[in-house]
Amino acid sequence: MLDIQRIRQQPDKVKEAMVAKGEKETGLVDQVLETDDLWRKTVHRLEQLRQESNTRAKEIGVLMGQGKKEEAQKVIRETGEMKQEVKTLEETVRELQGKRDDMLLKIPNMADESVPVTKDESGNLVVHSWGSPMEADATCKPHWDLVSGGGWIDFERGAKVTSAGFPFYVGPAARLQRALIQFFIDKAVEKGYVEMMAPFFVNESSARGTGQIPDKEDMMYVIPRDGYFAIPTAEVPVTNYHRDEVLKTDALPIRYVCYTPCWRREAGSHGSDVRGLNRLHQFDKVELVKLVHPESSYDELESLRRDAEELLEALELPYRTLLMGTADMGFTQSKKYDLEVWSPGQKKWLEVSSCSNFEDYQARRMMIRHKRENGKTEIIHTLNGSGLALPRVMAAFLETHQRPDGSVVIPAALQPWAGTDKLEF
């Protein structure tokens, strides 16, 4: 969430930032400030009353020592009334703070000044590209035609066993999937990321901490009996790993890499966007998460982006990097890059990674702090990026490296993990 001090000082800028992200309910800022003002006044009155009550309580002993029992009894009655009022005010303070914080959760993060203000996705900027998409074009098959004959990615049986969006990977496809996951993890570890295995289900506090609640509830699978959510990304459990902790400043930056299956309901998706591996309900992803000093978070974002880009280059997949505009960057991000690979079989770009800086927006919700050498405690900044998401990488990989005989060539960088230079489908 945003720092309440920032909203107090820059309410108009916060409203402008909300509008830039497509949020219309800017009156929420005024409601937050009204509630915050009442909260502060109530806290002030509570502190005054506590001080007054303590002062009067000290008089009781003095009066009793002077033999003024009636006056002492009067003070006892008055302090008793004060204590009751203190309890009432304490409850009011808790209620007002809860109401204010609930509203704060509904205000999106403010975009960094370097982010273009846009009305739709057409305003996203291509800031980098690699490879030549046209080289892989011509008459190559889309991935679903390439693998369906041998049943190596079985969408029909997946739909039978679960529903659409839950495919089986069989034989060479399963082998390739496993090789890609291990390749992504090992490359991240080489760059200093610490490998982690995380829970696949999280509680409501964790979902709220990273901003899935109250923004993306409809996207998540829920386990009502136990109050858990199936994770939509490893970002959720990994970032919450340090929730409610004060970290040593010299421990930062902290970098984690984590493979998990992910689950997303993807309600409303339809047409060619969901065909084959384009948009699944269950998919594999390797996630990169960073917890960093506030002053270095934008440098860390650029290095995070390069960590993801270099994986695509190693796989010899043409890609482009987009700086996302305000209308297409999400509720919680302050700046986001999307990486898209070229799908020659479908003749379109497919998103395979989002690399985002959240500044202190997530960490403030989770109360992840660090203590500087001067003793000052400060909220850290969090970042994450897909490194990489498997389904569309797999789709583009199969289409880009297919050969006329139906085989798929494995680039040299991946061969040690795949154990072969070619897959026969």
Side-chain angles (χ1 to χ4, degrees):
M1 65 177 73
L2 292 178
D3 184 357
I4 184 61
Q5 188 66 22
R6 191 175 189 181
I7 297 177
R8 291 170 185 162
Q9 295 173 349
Q10 302 176 322
D12 291 337
K13 283 191 175 182
V14 173
K15 290 179 181 180
E16 290 173 8
M18 290 179 70
V19 172
K21 283 196 170 184
E23 300 287 336
K24 298 179 181 179
E25 302 299 327
T26 57
L28 190 59
V29 173
D30 299 318
Q31 295 174 37
V32 166
L33 291 174
E34 289 171 7
T35 305
D36 178 61
D37 183 60
L38 182 56
W39 173 80
R40 286 193 288 173
K41 289 177 179 177
T42 306
V43 169
H44 180 66
R45 171 59 184 151
L46 175 60
E47 291 173 349
Q48 284 184 321
L49 191 60
R50 282 173 175 163
Q51 185 176 359
E52 185 179 350
S53 177
N54 291 336
T55 300
R56 295 304 306 276
K58 292 177 182 178
E59 295 177 9
I60 296 172
V62 175
L63 291 171
M64 293 293 286
Q66 295 174 348
K68 300 178 180 179
K69 294 184 179 180
E70 290 186 8
E71 291 184 31
Q73 288 298 323
K74 180 182 178 182
V75 174
I76 289 172
R77 288 193 298 272
E78 290 174 351
T79 55
E81 293 171 356
M82 287 180 182
K83 288 178 180 178
Q84 186 58 48
E85 187 178 353
V86 165
K87 290 182 179 180
T88 301
L89 287 174
E90 287 174 339
E91 180 61 28
T92 301
V93 165
R94 285 192 293 268
E95 290 176 354
L96 288 171
Q97 183 173 349
K99 180 181 178 181
R100 182 194 66 185
D101 290 349
D102 284 345
M103 289 189 288
L104 282 172
L105 292 174
K106 299 174 183 177
I107 297 177
N109 199 358
M110 298 174 69
D112 183 67
E113 292 181 356
S114 62
V115 174
V117 177
T118 56
K119 293 183 178 180
D120 53 44
E121 64 181 14
S122 65
N124 299 334
L125 303 177
V126 177
V127 295
H128 176 69
S129 61
W130 184 91
S132 176
M134 298 307 295
E135 288 180 3
D137 243 321
T139 59
C140 63
K141 297 177 181 179
H143 65 277
W144 52 79
D145 286 341
L146 182 64
V147 300
S148 60
W152 306 128
I153 300 180
D154 200 321
F155 299 101
E156 292 184 3
R157 286 191 174 97
K160 175 183 71 174
V161 171
T162 307
S163 68
F166 293 85
F168 281 92
Y169 296 79
V170 183
R175 182 180 182 180
L176 177 57
Q177 183 89 338
R178 176 164 48 87
L180 287 168
I181 291 169
Q182 193 63 57
F183 175 69
F184 295 157
I185 293 172
D186 289 350
K187 288 300 179 183
V189 170
E190 286 178 11
K191 293 196 170 188
Y193 290 84
V194 176
E195 184 176 356
M196 175 182 283
M197 292 292 290
F200 298 162
F201 307 106
V202 294
N203 56 34
E204 185 174 328
S205 294
S206 295
R208 184 177 292 107
T210 45
Q212 273 64 37
I213 295 176
D215 180 47
K216 301 181 179 69
E217 297 97 326
D218 292 342
M219 296 285 285
M220 291 190 290
Y221 284 94
V222 185
I223 306 169
R225 179 174 177 176
D226 302 296
Y228 298 151
F229 296 88
I231 60 170
T233 166
E235 163 200 348
V236 183
V238 175
T239 314
N240 274 278
Y241 182 67
H242 290 291
R243 190 173 76 219
D244 296 319
E245 293 183 14
V246 179
L247 307 172
K248 293 182 178 180
T249 193
D250 58 5
L252 302 178
I254 296 173
R255 303 181 179 98
Y256 293 119
V257 56
C258 182
Y259 155 73
T260 64
C262 305
W263 293 268
R264 296 183 189 177
R265 295 181 66 240
E266 300 289 7
S269 300
H270 62 277
S272 62
D273 286 343
V274 301
R275 189 168 185 185
L277 297 171
N278 286 351
R279 194 175 293 273
L280 302 180
H281 295 301
Q282 177 180 307
F283 59 95
D284 292 316
K285 182 155 68 81
V286 175
E287 189 77 0
L288 306 174
V289 173
K290 293 185 176 186
L291 291 80
V292 306
H293 293 104
E295 60 269 23
S296 66
S297 66
Y298 282 98
D299 289 336
E300 291 284 355
L301 176 61
E302 296 304 316
S303 67
L304 175 65
R305 164 192 152 187
R306 279 303 298 154
D307 292 340
E309 289 174 342
E310 288 174 4
L311 295 173
L312 295 173
E313 292 169 13
L315 296 177
E316 300 176 17
L317 298 178
Y319 70 89
R320 65 182 186 179
T321 302
L322 285 74
L323 171 59
M324 310 305 284
T326 54
D328 202 28
M329 69 181 294
F331 190 88
T332 55
Q333 293 95 339
S334 59
K335 187 173 184 177
K336 182 176 80 163
Y337 292 108
D338 274 5
L339 276 58
E340 297 180 339
V341 293
W342 178 248
S343 166
Q346 302 177 70
K347 298 179 174 58
K348 66 179 182 180
W349 295 99
L350 303 176
E351 178 200 328
V352 294
S353 177
S354 290
C355 298
S356 304
N357 187 353
F358 302 88
E359 293 189 356
D360 62 2
Y361 191 84
Q362 290 182 327
R364 189 174 302 282
R365 290 176 175 225
M366 291 179 279
M367 288 305 292
I368 307 176
R369 296 146 288 167
H370 74 112
K371 182 174 288 187
R372 293 192 180 273
E373 293 178 357
N374 61 9
K376 181 181 178 181
T377 301
E378 182 181 34
I379 302 289
I380 65 160
H381 283 194
T382 62
L383 303 92
N384 64 57
S386 307
L388 299 158
L390 272 295
R392 295 174 196 159
V393 168
M394 173 76 85
F397 186 97
L398 295 172
E399 293 174 8
T400 300
H401 297 307
Q402 66 178 288
R403 293 298 179 263
D405 63 359
S407 64
V408 174
V409 173
I410 304 297
L414 187 63
Q415 289 176 17
W417 286 264
T420 181
D421 61 358
K422 185 169 65 172
L423 294 180
E424 302 282 357
F425 282 87

